[in-house]
Amino acid sequence: MKSNQAAASSEVNLSEFDGVRYLHLGTEWVQGSMRVAAPYDIDLEYVQRMMAWLLFVPPESVKGRHAMQLGLGAGAITKFCYKKLGMTCTAVEINPRVADVCRAWLRLPPEGERMRVVIADAGHEIQKDEWFSTVDALAVDLYDDDAAAPILDSAEFYADCRRLLTEDGCMTVNLFGRSASFERSLAQIVEAFGARAVWAFKPTREGNAVVLAQRTPTRPKRDALAAKAEAIEARWQLPARKWLKVFKALER
């Protein structure tokens, strides 16, 4: 695993195939993507699943809420939240080149009243008081250049993430990794949030295992989740009904 200092200066490059533009950090491993013909849609299945927090809030309440992304990648989550959901968005990215490439080649919106990119170490930035209890949807996708393991993956880090959330806020985390242990990472999240607050997807075909943790645990009835999933599909064209087949609470 690279140090945060190394991550801050990693090479950033792009490739393109069959209408999809891919972001890389100096290796062949994909760190994000954008379908050129639909730049504000979410292309990758696991990234779509990181929007599962929508199952836990009223659809009409989404506009104006605050989304924060730790690790900008290709900016898919931030772009979707900003353009499609009408949210206020903050992205925390350690490498300024990633932000520059996202703006130049991946249609990241310019900074403004609802859009901010903070160039900083996410582990340090989220400890600032200004962010506490301000984030409704926190997306954590912090990987080294080889996409081998999360850079930040401790109970202390996840406890800091929990402090960012509003009362009905959620964190979603991508736990893909060839050398990372899903069970170990899950245990760190449970330690910070409590088992009753944690939900998990089955891994995608590519091995991405998305975990969701609620600031305030809830247990919606299955029919209520199904109704919410239908509303999400109708309003935002995310495959939310499919989510419910592979998404469940850690503790019943």
Side-chain angles (χ1 to χ4, degrees):
M1 185 185 298
K2 288 196 174 188
S3 68
N4 286 350
Q5 289 77 13
S9 58
S10 295
E11 177 187 350
V12 182
N13 52 341
L14 297 165
S15 64
E16 196 165 318
F17 177 75
D18 198 23
V20 179
R21 193 167 291 163
Y22 298 97
L23 178 78
H24 310 268
L25 297 180
T27 74
E28 74 274 18
W29 298 105
V30 171
Q31 300 282 348
S33 69
M34 178 191 77
R35 191 161 294 279
V36 177
Y40 301 111
D41 290 350
I42 298 177
D43 180 53
L44 296 175
E45 182 180 28
Y46 92 85
V47 183
Q48 293 175 346
R49 292 180 177 187
M50 292 184 76
M51 303 303 295
W53 60 270
L54 288 166
L55 292 166
F56 299 95
V57 298
E60 63 275 9
S61 76
V62 170
K63 186 176 181 180
R65 285 179 180 259
H66 181 203
M68 178 179 278
Q69 182 175 2
L70 304 184
L72 182 59
I77 290 173
T78 293
K79 291 189 298 179
F80 186 87
C81 289
Y82 181 85
K83 283 285 190 178
K84 302 279 187 168
L85 303 186
M87 300 177 75
T88 295
C89 296
T90 305
V92 182
E93 170 57 50
I94 198 169
N95 188 338
R97 294 181 182 86
V98 170
D100 291 342
V101 167
C102 282
R103 292 188 187 101
W105 296 100
L106 296 167
R107 302 291 292 274
L108 185 70
E111 302 251 342
E113 186 178 345
R114 289 197 300 113
M115 177 71 202
R116 180 180 175 190
V117 177
V118 179
I119 303 301
D121 180 317
H124 295 148
E125 183 64 27
I126 66 172
Q127 293 177 354
K128 294 181 178 179
D129 291 349
E130 68 177 288
W131 303 120
F132 287 3
S133 301
T134 69
V135 180
D136 298 292
L138 176 67
V140 181
D141 198 1
L142 296 164
Y143 277 80
D144 59 19
D145 297 358
D146 295 324
I151 291 175
L152 297 171
D153 190 38
S154 67
E156 291 78 16
F157 167 70
Y158 292 122
D160 287 340
C161 289
R162 186 177 185 273
R163 282 191 286 271
L164 299 180
L165 298 177
T166 57
E167 282 303 309
D168 64 350
C170 293
M171 173 187 76
T172 49
V173 186
N174 172 30
L175 292 180
F176 170 79
R178 297 182 309 282
S179 63
S181 163
F182 174 80
E183 293 299 331
R184 184 180 66 242
S185 298
L186 187 62
Q188 303 301 317
I189 295 171
V190 167
E191 183 175 337
F193 281 82
R196 189 166 172 77
V198 179
W199 302 63
F201 281 94
K202 292 180 180 178
T204 63
R205 288 187 302 276
E206 297 76 21
N208 298 83
V210 171
V211 171
L212 179 146
Q214 298 176 284
R215 173 68 176 82
T216 304
T218 63
R219 279 295 177 275
K221 300 278 188 191
R222 204 69 184 175
D223 57 350
L225 285 175
K228 196 71 69 66
E230 286 189 16
I232 291 167
E233 287 206 10
R235 193 179 283 233
W236 298 301
Q237 293 74 58
L238 290 168
R241 287 182 292 179
K242 289 183 179 179
W243 295 345
L244 298 185
K245 298 176 182 178
V246 290
F247 179 65
K248 65 178 183 179
L250 191 65
E251 184 180 274
R252 291 294 180 184

